[in-house]
Amino acid sequence: MSSPEQWTRPEPGAGPAATAAEPTPEQVIAGLRATTEGGAELTQLLNPEGERLASAHFDPYVSDIDAEALRGLYRDMVLVRRADREGNAMQRQGQLGIWVPLLGQEAAQIGSGRALRPTDMAFPSYREHGVAYTRGVDFKELLGIFRGTDHSGWDFQAHGFHPYTIVIGNQVLNATGYAMGQKFEGKVGDDDGEATIVYFGDGATSQGDVHEGFVWSAVYDAPVVFFCQNNQWAISEPTERQSRLPLYQRARGYGFPGIRVDGNDVLACLAVTRWALDECRHGNGPVLIEAFTYRMDAHTTTDDPTRYRLSDELEVWKHKDPIERVRVHLARTGGADQEFFDQVQADADAFAADLRDFCFNMPDPPPERIFANVYAEPSPVLEAQQREHLAYLAGFAEGGER
Amino acid sequence: MSSPEQWTRPEPGAGPAATAAEPTPEQVIAGLRATTEGGAELTQLLNPEGERLASAHFDPYVSDIDAEALRGLYRDMVLVRRADREGNAMQRQGQLGIWVPLLGQEAAQIGSGRALRPTDMAFPSYREHGVAYTRGVDFKELLGIFRGTDHSGWDFQAHGFHPYTIVIGNQVLNATGYAMGQKFEGKVGDDDGEATIVYFGDGATSQGDVHEGFVWSAVYDAPVVFFCQNNQWAISEPTERQSRLPLYQRARGYGFPGIRVDGNDVLACLAVTRWALDECRHGNGPVLIEAFTYRMDAHTTTDDPTRYRLSDELEVWKHKDPIERVRVHLARTGGADQEFFDQVQADADAFAADLRDFCFNMPDPPPERIFANVYAEPSPVLEAQQREHLAYLAGFAEGGER
Amino acid sequence: MAAPVRSTADQPTSSVQNLTIGKALNLGLRAAMEADDKVLVLGEDVGKLGGVFRITDGLQKDFGEQRVLDTPLAESGIIGTAVGLAVRGFRPVCEIQFEGFIFPGFDQISSQLAKLHYRTQGGIKVPVVIRVPYGGGIGAVEHHSESPESLFAHIAGLKVVSCANPVDAYWMIQQAIRCDDPVLFFEPKRLYHSGALKAPVDTAAEPDPLFASRTVRQGSTATLVAYGPSVKVCLDAATAAAEDDLSLEVIDLRTLSPLDLEPVFESVRRTGRLITVSEAPSESSITSEIAARVQQECFYSLESPVLRVTGFDTPYPPSKLEEHYLPDLDRVLHAVDRALAW
Amino acid sequence: MAAPVRSTADQPTSSVQNLTIGKALNLGLRAAMEADDKVLVLGEDVGKLGGVFRITDGLQKDFGEQRVLDTPLAESGIIGTAVGLAVRGFRPVCEIQFEGFIFPGFDQISSQLAKLHYRTQGGIKVPVVIRVPYGGGIGAVEHHSESPESLFAHIAGLKVVSCANPVDAYWMIQQAIRCDDPVLFFEPKRLYHSGALKAPVDTAAEPDPLFASRTVRQGSTATLVAYGPSVKVCLDAATAAAEDDLSLEVIDLRTLSPLDLEPVFESVRRTGRLITVSEAPSESSITSEIAARVQQECFYSLESPVLRVTGFDTPYPPSKLEEHYLPDLDRVLHAVDRALAW
Ligand SMILES: Cc1ncc(C[n+]2csc(CCOP(=O)(O)OP(=O)(O)O)c2C)c(N)n1
Ligand SMILES: Cc1ncc(C[n+]2csc(CCOP(=O)(O)OP(=O)(O)O)c2C)c(N)n1
Ligand SMILES: [Mg+2]
Ligand SMILES: [Mg+2]
């Protein structure tokens, strides 16, 4: 069958019409997926064996990443993973209502997150705890969402990190608008330009809002990097339920660059995201990045992936673990010694213990919080509702149980 | 600047980051548009001078179109244009609330409409009076919508022609679902396969629903032809407000064919649509067709295009009139004589006169129509409302004016 | 594609089974698919996974991938293609994963699904069912606990129902699928797997009509009217009140649009007092509508105004606060007290 | 980008101008854009064309393409990017071309716009205004004559207002833009260019507060409450009734969410009778809400039930039937008669 490249300009035969269907896209994509390699166009700087691959294009974007910096990225990933595992554990212990694990996606999140500057803005979905960490958001501030004490805790402006968005795709348009604002304010056009990055999953690419974000950003040259973490699954649905083609190729139809990066390679994610942000800073946005990675855990703690995927798949991906390859590289190249690795593990355990302590002691919010901040300017109707409910509660306090 | 083809796989320089913005897409597209030619990839079989251009690919799809058949297409276009002009006139005379002219789009509509078989289904937008005609819908049945006596009149199943859809983009998803149904029923896979065609405009391509239609149809191999009439304008907005790239290239990102056809060339529209439908019938759908054409009149009778576009543009397009080129071709090749042309004109006038007669005598619907067919199965609440209102009206009849 | 064979292993020996609401829905869907091969199930994760609540569990295995579709992730797509499938003659049953995710599909619901039959003067039927797990009390994150049913009750051309027990779950889903109108089918998600609500479902019985309210407890002091998850709250309140010698009548609305208020009018004419209960915000809602109609129909019977016990007019709060947000037994009884003291 | 220069040719010589609602909105938008350069106008055809109703006429010429944006054709995109622009510190004013096209943007409105402030405990303000030309009576095709405002009144976190005269049009749009909450601004489209409604607007005056109802005609026999296009209908009805010696009070709601019903309660306590008037379908609507609250607050004052005169619970009919669908003077007076005869 012809390559996708040619589908754009079909060449119908001069004879009779086609008489049988070509191989289905599922079959084609199944072929692609069978490798779980991301295909020939995958950008990689550090392979699963921990070998550094040269890239004339992208090496300049990580020329500052010496052993110390790489140790930093390693540490980030280990801490974030440890905290993520603690999240799972705390959910099992009933301390959190739900947890959304990032296991396996540490490189995509740390690599892209560390590419950002303080003046940039990131719009996460709901799984970007690693990005939150790179933006200086205290991991503890994430817990309220999953414990049910608040919907979002951090100061988005101070951290350049928007609240989590749960409705799939919504944040892509919000980020595009934000990036348009950066441009309208004249903050785009040179090395000091600002940029926006927005995170979403493979499943999200089907939503109308993501498409509209692509349309808007292309029309307004918005400085926005679309960072799609293709973790191969949208809950129980594999990527071929969303697309015939590799997702980075979606950008083709809109006239801006799309690129696939090894989402388990923290160095490549850093380099590619820096490049993409740079394009945006200079007014050449938008850019789509597909980080080819894998959700190594369940969709959330309420999900049971054994119902829909084989453990073989997980085993293959374990060989491509994002942390392990950096450890091997650091060890082989003498960039780090055992003491360092031990120290990072100890730091990670302390980090998790601190989180755990905090979580177990989180107070419940007071009932008046229900009514607070619905509006920025008061609503008399709501105030009356609040008064009435608080009076009702006070009645209990006075009168005891009915 | 690099061609759009390369944007998919960017080649960032090995040196420092870009230091200035590349030409804006607007500039690029302005260049494209300046020609108003549709670019090098435009499929054309009959040029504006009425010359037949050979196409190894598409000629087989119109090998049956002899002089008689071409005369038929010519007649179709003239009748439809005449009726369209009558629509405008009747609106001016207060007989219609609004009219949505198709002037300039006759070839796109007749060519694509005549490519359909009775077993196919067409989903129009709101401007497809020409397609309606090819589907055997009596032009009179269109008038109710614009006169305000009904929302849609014809038997969609008998004609294979869905009701008009006004909410931009909605019908694209509905058509995709319908086509999925054709496939689920096993009606796809050989020469006798069924197919669906759906019409929408250049502006519609920005809507999430159109994107979702592309996603669904690609994932389910739905036998649907997306027929985008790019008439260069979405009310006052030119196509570059919706896209950086020619619209047919949108298909690239989804993995199905996209093709641009001269929308003012009835033969090319017929050939390309037949080819696309054929692909669908055999299970190789979907296909996107961009018919490059021009809205020669206002958006609707309430629109004033002098506010947003130059008359020069219209003048250029007049040279590419869809009807004129067929007339010239028929005359030059001896495919028709003056008597034929006169007869067609007379037929067209009679067609319009009949329409006019009908329109002037259309009765207003009775008030109980308000309540009819809200539900297929009765709603007692609504029945009570109806009873009450009719009793109220009856009160007037008895008591006279208050 | 697998042939739609029913595995006989599941076959119950008697026609009566003791079911949860969730299992009753599952069996109801199965029965509908067996009865009519035009019935399709579509949505996110409804296939292999059986839906995040497992309501469609096993259906894809038995009916194949062309009758149980794991769709791409987009609600407008789900509903928009369902409309097209219905135009083609299918009877699609869409699952919206959580009520908070129905909004991307709102346009297709209000502009196409609700209007196509009217617009074509009856020429096109769109027998689409949209199943919506709704309501709070499950300790979830945002968008997973809302009650948006009033929005759909306001849209003409839609029918809106909600079930509150396993027997209704089993029958109402089948009746909704058989109905030639589009039906928004609201399912009380926190009760899906409630063992306490388990009830014997006789699959050979004759069900009540779909669009009818039902008095589920008789009383004489005041009337409570509720639907979905709030019916249980009201029944519990009535039980508690009985200890104080208050006799509360409880009506399960079942149909939210069209409303079937005759039983409510009749009840209020006897009791003189009405409390409406719903988890949804009260402003411009179904509970407003009930109050508006009851004050008109029972003007001279009401001894106190119709009172409403509802969610507050705020977004759904973080789940640690939901016990305050959701109407509970105490709030219902407090309203009864207020009505009696008026 | 053109600098935001105001062409002095337009400058009125006095601060009082005789304006239609449409022109008053145009000038109000202009004033808001001059007062705050964070105010942006965006929507389909709002730039060169000045909008299909010309409400934004001349704004792009004077304020440039970065403050008046002709957007791609997609309402979710318009509202979703407006939310992002607001997060960045802008005050976007979105135009939805006709109310029937707001639905593709419903999700961004209900999931993001309405909730962002709540979710962030006040950390993010989203001062977005969505202008919605609404209502019928213009002889239009489908989706161009609806009244969906009740849907937004039901969604917590949104404020919803509607203007009914040029003075309010001029001030309310500016107040809505200055408001730190998202505001759905419903504009009575059939009155945009009504010469009969032309009124002197004093641009130097002190306006009434935005979220307050107003008694626009005093009376003692019964109270009519309406908003937007129905206010004129009620005023006409009151004038006609005066000839029969009926003294009708008319209240222009102005704010639909939050409702300001104190003036209504006060009035009903005097007149004992209330008729609510709206073009929207009645089921689960703002008029239901008013009835529900009035029957509660004025239980002992009502001499007849609150009656509603509204659009029917059907899709908007073909325009040749709209004179039946829309509440008119006769239907309003008929309801008054019924209330008086109760
Ligand atoms: C509009 C909407 N529909 C459905 C859901 C329920 N849901 C939550 S996550 C999810 C899958 C998302 O998959 P993907 O985009 O690949 O992101 P991932 O979870 O894999 O990171 C679904 C269907 C939702 N949150 N929002
Ligand atoms: C969802 C929606 N938004 C806005 C409109 C108002 N509107 C009607 S036609 C139109 C422009 C459509 O342009 P295009 O898709 O190019 O089709 P054309 O009219 O040129 O055939 C607009 C904005 C609409 N009908 N539906
Ligand atoms: Mg995923
Ligand atoms: Mg167009």
Side-chain angles (χ1 to χ4, degrees), chain D residues 16 24 27 56 63 70 80 89 98 102 107 139 146 151 156-157 169 176 179 185 198 211 236-237 245 250 300-301 311:
Chain D
V16 180
L27 292 184
T56 57
F63 295 96
D70 272 330
F98 286 83
I102 198 168
D107 177 43
E146 302 173 8
L151 300 173
C179 176
F185 194 91
K198 252 193 182 178
F211 299 108
D236 291 348
D245 286 331
V250 181
Y300 292 116
S301 311

Short mmCIF file of all heavy atoms in Angstrom, two decimals, chain D residues 16 24 27 56 63 70 80 89 98 102 107 139 146 151 156-157 169 176 179 185 198 211 236-237 245 250 300-301 311:
data_model
loop_
_atom_site.label_atom_id
_atom_site.label_comp_id
_atom_site.label_asym_id
_atom_site.label_seq_id
_atom_site.Cartn_x
_atom_site.Cartn_y
_atom_site.Cartn_z
N VAL D 16 -25.40 63.75 25.87
CA VAL D 16 -26.65 63.03 25.64
C VAL D 16 -26.84 62.74 24.15
O VAL D 16 -26.74 63.64 23.33
CB VAL D 16 -27.86 63.82 26.17
CG1 VAL D 16 -29.15 63.05 25.93
CG2 VAL D 16 -27.69 64.14 27.64
N ALA D 24 -26.25 51.94 21.07
CA ALA D 24 -25.82 52.12 22.46
C ALA D 24 -24.81 51.03 22.85
O ALA D 24 -23.82 51.30 23.54
CB ALA D 24 -27.03 52.08 23.39
N LEU D 27 -21.51 51.93 21.24
CA LEU D 27 -20.80 52.99 21.96
C LEU D 27 -20.32 52.51 23.33
O LEU D 27 -19.26 52.92 23.79
CB LEU D 27 -21.69 54.22 22.10
CG LEU D 27 -21.99 54.96 20.80
CD1 LEU D 27 -22.81 56.22 21.07
CD2 LEU D 27 -20.70 55.33 20.06
N THR D 56 -20.44 45.72 16.49
CA THR D 56 -19.02 46.05 16.68
C THR D 56 -18.50 46.94 15.54
O THR D 56 -17.29 47.04 15.33
CB THR D 56 -18.18 44.77 16.76
OG1 THR D 56 -18.39 44.00 15.57
CG2 THR D 56 -18.57 43.93 17.97
N PHE D 63 -9.44 50.28 16.71
CA PHE D 63 -8.62 49.66 17.76
C PHE D 63 -7.65 48.61 17.23
O PHE D 63 -6.83 48.08 17.97
CB PHE D 63 -9.51 49.05 18.85
CG PHE D 63 -10.30 50.08 19.60
CD1 PHE D 63 -11.60 50.37 19.25
CD2 PHE D 63 -9.72 50.78 20.66
CE1 PHE D 63 -12.34 51.33 19.93
CE2 PHE D 63 -10.45 51.74 21.35
CZ PHE D 63 -11.76 52.02 20.99
N ASP D 70 -11.30 38.89 14.23
CA ASP D 70 -12.13 37.99 13.44
C ASP D 70 -11.57 36.59 13.65
O ASP D 70 -10.49 36.27 13.15
CB ASP D 70 -12.03 38.35 11.95
CG ASP D 70 -13.04 39.40 11.54
OD1 ASP D 70 -14.12 39.46 12.15
OD2 ASP D 70 -12.74 40.17 10.62
N GLY D 80 -12.95 29.17 24.55
CA GLY D 80 -11.77 28.55 25.15
C GLY D 80 -10.54 29.44 25.10
O GLY D 80 -9.78 29.51 26.07
N GLY D 89 -4.76 37.95 31.72
CA GLY D 89 -5.00 39.32 32.20
C GLY D 89 -5.84 40.17 31.27
O GLY D 89 -6.08 41.35 31.55
N PHE D 98 -25.36 34.18 16.76
CA PHE D 98 -26.78 34.02 17.14
C PHE D 98 -26.79 33.04 18.30
O PHE D 98 -25.98 32.11 18.34
CB PHE D 98 -27.61 33.44 15.99
CG PHE D 98 -27.88 34.39 14.86
CD1 PHE D 98 -26.95 34.58 13.86
CD2 PHE D 98 -29.08 35.10 14.80
CE1 PHE D 98 -27.20 35.46 12.80
CE2 PHE D 98 -29.33 35.98 13.75
CZ PHE D 98 -28.39 36.16 12.75
N ILE D 102 -24.34 29.03 20.32
CA ILE D 102 -23.53 29.05 21.53
C ILE D 102 -23.20 27.63 22.00
O ILE D 102 -22.25 27.40 22.76
CB ILE D 102 -24.24 29.84 22.65
CG1 ILE D 102 -23.22 30.24 23.73
CG2 ILE D 102 -25.41 29.06 23.25
CD1 ILE D 102 -23.75 31.26 24.72
N ASP D 107 -19.39 23.56 26.59
CA ASP D 107 -18.45 22.88 27.50
C ASP D 107 -17.44 23.86 28.07
O ASP D 107 -17.21 23.88 29.29
CB ASP D 107 -17.74 21.76 26.73
CG ASP D 107 -16.70 21.05 27.58
OD1 ASP D 107 -16.99 20.78 28.76
OD2 ASP D 107 -15.61 20.78 27.07
N GLY D 139 -38.25 36.74 11.85
CA GLY D 139 -38.55 36.00 10.61
C GLY D 139 -37.38 35.18 10.09
O GLY D 139 -37.22 35.01 8.90
N GLU D 146 -33.81 31.69 19.21
CA GLU D 146 -34.06 30.99 20.47
C GLU D 146 -33.76 31.84 21.70
O GLU D 146 -33.23 32.94 21.60
CB GLU D 146 -33.22 29.70 20.48
CG GLU D 146 -33.54 28.80 19.30
CD GLU D 146 -32.62 27.58 19.19
OE1 GLU D 146 -31.82 27.35 20.10
OE2 GLU D 146 -32.73 26.87 18.18
N LEU D 151 -30.54 28.03 30.58
CA LEU D 151 -29.48 27.03 30.72
C LEU D 151 -28.29 27.61 31.47
O LEU D 151 -27.64 26.94 32.28
CB LEU D 151 -29.02 26.55 29.34
CG LEU D 151 -30.09 25.88 28.48
CD1 LEU D 151 -29.54 25.62 27.08
CD2 LEU D 151 -30.55 24.58 29.12
N ALA D 156 -23.92 27.38 38.04
CA ALA D 156 -23.30 28.21 39.06
C ALA D 156 -21.95 28.71 38.58
O ALA D 156 -21.23 28.00 37.89
CB ALA D 156 -23.14 27.40 40.34
N GLY D 157 -21.64 29.93 38.94
CA GLY D 157 -20.36 30.51 38.55
C GLY D 157 -20.49 31.50 37.42
O GLY D 157 -19.57 32.27 37.15
N ALA D 169 -28.45 49.25 27.75
CA ALA D 169 -27.51 48.64 26.81
C ALA D 169 -26.15 49.33 26.94
O ALA D 169 -25.11 48.68 27.05
CB ALA D 169 -28.04 48.77 25.38
N ALA D 176 -20.69 44.99 32.68
CA ALA D 176 -20.39 43.57 32.52
C ALA D 176 -18.91 43.37 32.23
O ALA D 176 -18.27 42.45 32.74
CB ALA D 176 -21.25 42.97 31.40
N CYS D 179 -16.93 43.82 35.33
CA CYS D 179 -17.18 42.82 36.36
C CYS D 179 -16.10 41.73 36.30
O CYS D 179 -15.72 41.29 35.22
CB CYS D 179 -18.57 42.21 36.13
SG CYS D 179 -18.96 40.87 37.26
N PHE D 185 -24.18 37.91 28.43
CA PHE D 185 -24.88 39.17 28.19
C PHE D 185 -25.86 38.96 27.04
O PHE D 185 -25.47 38.91 25.87
CB PHE D 185 -23.84 40.24 27.85
CG PHE D 185 -24.37 41.64 27.90
CD1 PHE D 185 -24.31 42.37 29.07
CD2 PHE D 185 -24.92 42.24 26.77
CE1 PHE D 185 -24.80 43.68 29.13
CE2 PHE D 185 -25.42 43.54 26.82
CZ PHE D 185 -25.35 44.27 28.00
N LYS D 198 -35.70 54.03 20.53
CA LYS D 198 -34.63 55.03 20.65
C LYS D 198 -34.83 55.88 21.90
O LYS D 198 -35.95 56.29 22.21
CB LYS D 198 -34.64 55.95 19.43
CG LYS D 198 -33.48 55.71 18.48
CD LYS D 198 -33.38 56.85 17.48
CE LYS D 198 -32.26 56.57 16.50
NZ LYS D 198 -32.16 57.64 15.49
N PHE D 211 -26.46 44.38 38.72
CA PHE D 211 -27.20 43.19 39.15
C PHE D 211 -28.42 43.56 39.99
O PHE D 211 -28.61 43.07 41.10
CB PHE D 211 -26.27 42.24 39.89
CG PHE D 211 -25.15 41.75 39.02
CD1 PHE D 211 -23.85 42.20 39.20
CD2 PHE D 211 -25.41 40.87 37.96
CE1 PHE D 211 -22.82 41.76 38.37
CE2 PHE D 211 -24.39 40.44 37.12
CZ PHE D 211 -23.09 40.89 37.33
N ASP D 236 -46.34 47.47 26.85
CA ASP D 236 -47.46 47.68 25.94
C ASP D 236 -48.74 47.12 26.53
O ASP D 236 -49.82 47.72 26.43
CB ASP D 236 -47.18 47.02 24.58
CG ASP D 236 -46.07 47.74 23.81
OD1 ASP D 236 -45.69 48.86 24.23
OD2 ASP D 236 -45.58 47.19 22.82
N ALA D 237 -48.61 45.95 27.14
CA ALA D 237 -49.79 45.33 27.75
C ALA D 237 -50.31 46.22 28.87
O ALA D 237 -51.53 46.41 29.03
CB ALA D 237 -49.43 43.94 28.29
N ASP D 245 -58.85 50.30 32.84
CA ASP D 245 -58.70 50.63 34.26
C ASP D 245 -58.00 49.56 35.08
O ASP D 245 -58.25 49.41 36.28
CB ASP D 245 -60.06 50.95 34.90
CG ASP D 245 -60.55 52.32 34.46
OD1 ASP D 245 -59.67 53.18 34.17
OD2 ASP D 245 -61.76 52.51 34.38
N VAL D 250 -44.89 46.80 36.15
CA VAL D 250 -43.97 46.06 35.28
C VAL D 250 -42.55 46.14 35.85
O VAL D 250 -42.04 47.23 36.12
CB VAL D 250 -43.97 46.60 33.84
CG1 VAL D 250 -43.02 45.79 32.96
CG2 VAL D 250 -45.39 46.58 33.25
N TYR D 300 -48.37 34.07 51.72
CA TYR D 300 -49.65 34.58 52.23
C TYR D 300 -50.15 35.81 51.49
O TYR D 300 -51.24 36.29 51.74
CB TYR D 300 -49.53 34.86 53.73
CG TYR D 300 -49.36 33.57 54.53
CD1 TYR D 300 -48.21 33.33 55.26
CD2 TYR D 300 -50.36 32.59 54.52
CE1 TYR D 300 -48.05 32.14 55.97
CE2 TYR D 300 -50.21 31.41 55.23
CZ TYR D 300 -49.06 31.19 55.96
OH TYR D 300 -48.91 30.03 56.64
N SER D 301 -49.35 36.35 50.59
CA SER D 301 -49.78 37.54 49.85
C SER D 301 -50.43 37.20 48.53
O SER D 301 -51.19 38.00 47.97
CB SER D 301 -48.58 38.46 49.56
OG SER D 301 -47.82 38.69 50.71
N GLY D 311 -42.64 31.12 25.76
CA GLY D 311 -42.59 30.28 24.57
C GLY D 311 -43.07 28.89 24.96
O GLY D 311 -43.10 28.54 26.14
#
